[in-house]
Amino acid sequence: MKSKFIEVDRLTLYLLPPSIQDWLPEGHLARFVVEIIDQLDLRSLKDAYAGRGSQPYNPEMLLGLLFYGYSTGVFSSRKLERSTYDSVAFRFVAANTHPDHDTIANFRKRFRSEINGLFAQILLIAHQMNVLKLGSVSLDGSKVKANASKHKALSYDHACKLEEQIKAEVAELLKKAEAADHADIPDGMSIPEELERREERLIGIAAAKAEIERRAAERHAREQAAYEKKLAERTSKKKETGKKSRGKAPKPPKSGPTAKDQVNLTDEESRIMPTSGGGFEQAYNVQAGVDTTSKLIVATHVTQQPNDKLELKPTLENLAVLPKELGLVTELIADTGYFSETNVDACESQGITPYIAVGREEHNQPLWDRFTEPPPLAENADPVAKMRHRLKTKAGRAIYALRKITSEPVFGIIKAAMGFRSFLLRGYESVQGEWNLVCMAWNIKRLHALTR
């Protein structure tokens, strides 16, 4: 009797060898990733191989695995290795080879700087595709969890107490080791092993204390400079007006670490940061400047600062070194977290018109306020006053509104759709490289959507 179902046959061999090209549809993201990599100048990557040992994998293929993996939410080197067996798309990118996870992890870490250099090349390809022409850039930041638990943080006060406790234990162990009668030593205890373990912990605690003290010294230097600046301003104002400055005189900063200063033992370069949903997380603060037209990321960096006040200048520096073919940035849009007189002046000095929110606006504004223009501005207004006035105009409000449909959705897609919520690598430089990799993967994914 003939079956009404399509026959399931897993044993019959192919008459001709199968081709992965036939199994992957045209226009697939994996094909696009390979096409983009074919256009990149990878001489710096290829020249970095020393040529010793067994024949290495082609950097084009390993780079393709990273780009396609990060754009589809596969970040772990072990999962990337497994995908070269399980996924047709990954098999296509890997050309039916299967690099082991150590090879992938070492490639990502060892060639971090060479991979970073590809960021501008991808933007140039976008320009050649008539997708990118710089103009308005929206800047925003977000906290991304470090590869470390906040519970592995050690405060200065606890480090001092723990150090005293371990030193006392070491003294007691040495005393028992010198005693002729070891009858009071518990069964299974090895004094040399216990001493070695405590010596290692003391070394770790000493290193943590040294790092906390170094950070405290840097903080004191900054606070001392700010204190001296305030004193100078009060003195200058008193000489000009002949009157004593109102308000309390600034207090000099205290030197040395506080009891609550802490360092993480897993990733000492990460920081405890407040999160938008409330609470705190061991994290890094990632920044992205997004072109408002194409939604491509054109500037990126990572900071250890919990807020964004100091992150506008690094973004301007990154924008300034982009290839001239991409055009010039004419407007920069940012929320109130970036507002300061210094940041406004920095934009103006580079010929960029700033649209930085001065404060948080209330929801449900009156209807007529949205359709009225502010009164004319005084001719002698300073840059901050000009920007305040600009943001109140209908044209200014329309430009500032672009922020909600550019940089904010980019972070949302990276975290929710691409699934990047935590760094795999540790240490500031490695994390910076991984964030650049994420942003390049986003740009390729976005390019694929725009040109498909």
Side-chain angles (χ1 to χ4, degrees):
M1 180 178 173
K2 187 176 180 181
S3 173
K4 64 179 180 180
F5 301 111
I6 295 174
E7 185 179 359
V8 178
D9 183 4
R10 300 186 180 93
L11 300 177
T12 301
L13 299 177
Y14 291 97
L15 294 176
L16 296 172
S19 172
I20 298 179
Q21 292 279 356
D22 300 332
W23 292 355
L24 200 65
E26 292 295 330
H28 196 279
L29 177 60
R31 292 184 183 273
F32 188 75
V33 167
V34 172
E35 291 171 5
I36 291 292
I37 291 175
D38 285 342
Q39 300 177 59
L40 298 176
D41 183 359
L42 301 180
R43 283 177 293 181
S44 61
L45 264 174
K46 294 179 179 179
D47 293 345
Y49 279 99
R52 297 187 296 268
S54 59
Q55 189 174 14
Y57 286 103
N58 194 318
E60 294 180 12
M61 181 271 291
L62 295 173
L63 188 64
L65 282 180
L66 290 178
F67 280 165
Y68 185 70
Y70 272 81
S71 63
T72 55
V74 183
F75 314 114
S76 162
S77 59
R78 293 181 182 274
K79 290 183 179 179
L80 287 170
E81 177 190 359
R82 194 181 311 129
S83 296
T84 63
Y85 293 94
D86 300 342
S87 166
V88 171
F90 275 98
R91 274 183 176 266
F92 174 83
V93 174
N96 236 354
T97 61
H98 309 286
D100 62 89
H101 60 272
D102 283 337
T103 299
I104 298 171
N106 290 336
F107 176 81
R108 176 170 50 193
K109 186 175 182 180
R110 176 184 170 191
F111 298 104
R112 180 180 62 238
S113 59
E114 287 83 2
I115 295 174
N116 289 346
L118 303 176
F119 183 84
Q121 288 192 45
I122 294 174
L123 295 181
L124 282 173
I125 292 173
H127 175 68
Q128 293 165 5
M129 291 178 171
N130 295 320
V131 171
L132 175 63
K133 180 69 175 178
L134 287 179
S136 297
V137 170
S138 176
L139 175 63
D140 206 354
S142 182
K143 310 297 191 303
V144 175
K145 187 179 181 303
N147 188 3
S149 169
K150 64 182 178 181
H151 302 295
K152 290 294 183 180
L154 183 66
S155 70
Y156 192 77
D157 183 56
H158 186 61
C160 292
K161 292 178 180 178
L162 197 59
E163 188 176 40
E164 291 180 6
Q165 175 189 330
I166 295 175
K167 285 182 177 179
E169 291 175 355
V170 169
E172 186 177 353
L173 286 169
L174 290 173
K175 186 177 179 181
K176 289 184 179 295
E178 293 173 358
D181 184 10
H182 293 178
D184 59 341
I185 297 177
D187 292 338
M189 175 187 281
S190 171
I191 290 181
E193 290 179 3
E194 295 295 332
L195 284 171
E196 183 179 1
R197 188 178 297 115
R198 278 154 182 78
E199 289 295 336
E200 290 177 357
R201 292 191 68 188
L202 285 173
I203 292 172
I205 292 171
K209 287 178 63 179
E211 175 63 18
I212 294 173
E213 290 164 358
R214 184 191 66 79
R215 293 182 192 175
E218 289 181 353
R219 181 182 64 226
H220 181 260
R222 292 194 302 269
E223 293 175 349
Q224 183 67 27
Y227 167 73
E228 293 174 356
K229 182 180 179 181
K230 288 181 181 178
L231 282 183
E233 290 174 351
R234 289 172 66 91
T235 303
S236 176
K237 190 173 181 180
K238 184 177 180 181
K239 286 182 179 179
E240 291 175 2
T241 61
K243 297 180 180 179
K244 186 178 179 181
S245 299
R246 301 176 65 180
K248 295 181 179 180
K251 294 182 179 180
K254 294 181 179 180
S255 61
T258 67
K260 292 185 178 180
D261 285 349
Q262 58 183 243
V263 66
N264 193 278
L265 299 178
T266 307
D267 183 357
E268 66 178 28
E269 295 185 307
S270 63
R271 299 289 186 270
I272 288 283
M273 297 185 182
T275 57
S276 58
F280 293 84
E281 191 62 83
Q282 197 75 32
Y284 287 93
N285 184 356
V286 300
Q287 301 286 312
V290 182
D291 175 63
T292 57
T293 303
S294 63
K295 293 184 177 62
L296 294 172
I297 297 174
V298 295
T300 172
H301 71 277
V302 176
T303 178
Q304 296 163 313
Q305 300 294 329
N307 60 56
D308 300 325
K309 195 73 71 177
L310 302 176
E311 306 316 316
L312 190 137
K313 280 189 175 181
T315 299
L316 292 178
E317 292 170 0
N318 291 335
L319 291 172
V321 298
L322 287 176
K324 300 301 181 185
E325 298 93 319
L326 300 179
L328 296 175
V329 177
T330 56
E331 299 162 339
L332 191 137
I333 309 164
D335 63 25
T336 185
Y338 295 89
F339 172 71
S340 71
E341 184 178 348
T342 302
N343 287 343
V344 173
D345 291 339
C347 289
E348 296 281 356
S349 66
Q350 294 197 20
I352 297 174
T353 304
Y355 290 84
I356 308 173
V358 179
R360 294 186 181 276
E361 293 186 354
E362 295 182 0
H363 293 288
N364 303 317
Q365 289 183 329
L367 174 65
W368 302 114
D369 289 355
R370 294 165 48 203
F371 298 96
T372 57
E373 296 285 356
L377 189 66
E379 293 183 0
N380 61 345
D382 59 48
V384 173
K386 290 179 180 179
M387 189 184 72
R388 288 176 184 268
H389 181 270
R390 190 184 307 124
L391 286 168
K392 291 179 181 179
T393 64
K394 287 192 287 185
R397 289 196 295 267
I399 291 174
Y400 183 76
L402 293 174
R403 186 182 65 84
K404 292 185 178 180
I405 59 173
T406 50
S407 51
E408 288 188 0
V410 168
F411 277 109
I413 293 170
I414 286 175
K415 287 189 170 183
M418 293 169 59
F420 187 79
R421 295 180 174 275
S422 176
F423 286 106
L424 288 175
L425 306 183
R426 293 170 180 165
Y428 177 76
E429 293 296 333
S430 296
V431 161
Q432 175 70 70
E434 189 172 10
W435 177 239
N436 285 343
L437 188 56
V438 171
C439 293
M440 284 187 278
W442 158 260
N443 282 347
I444 292 174
K445 190 180 182 74
R446 177 63 182 163
L447 268 177
H448 177 249
L450 291 172
T451 59
R452 188 167 46 186

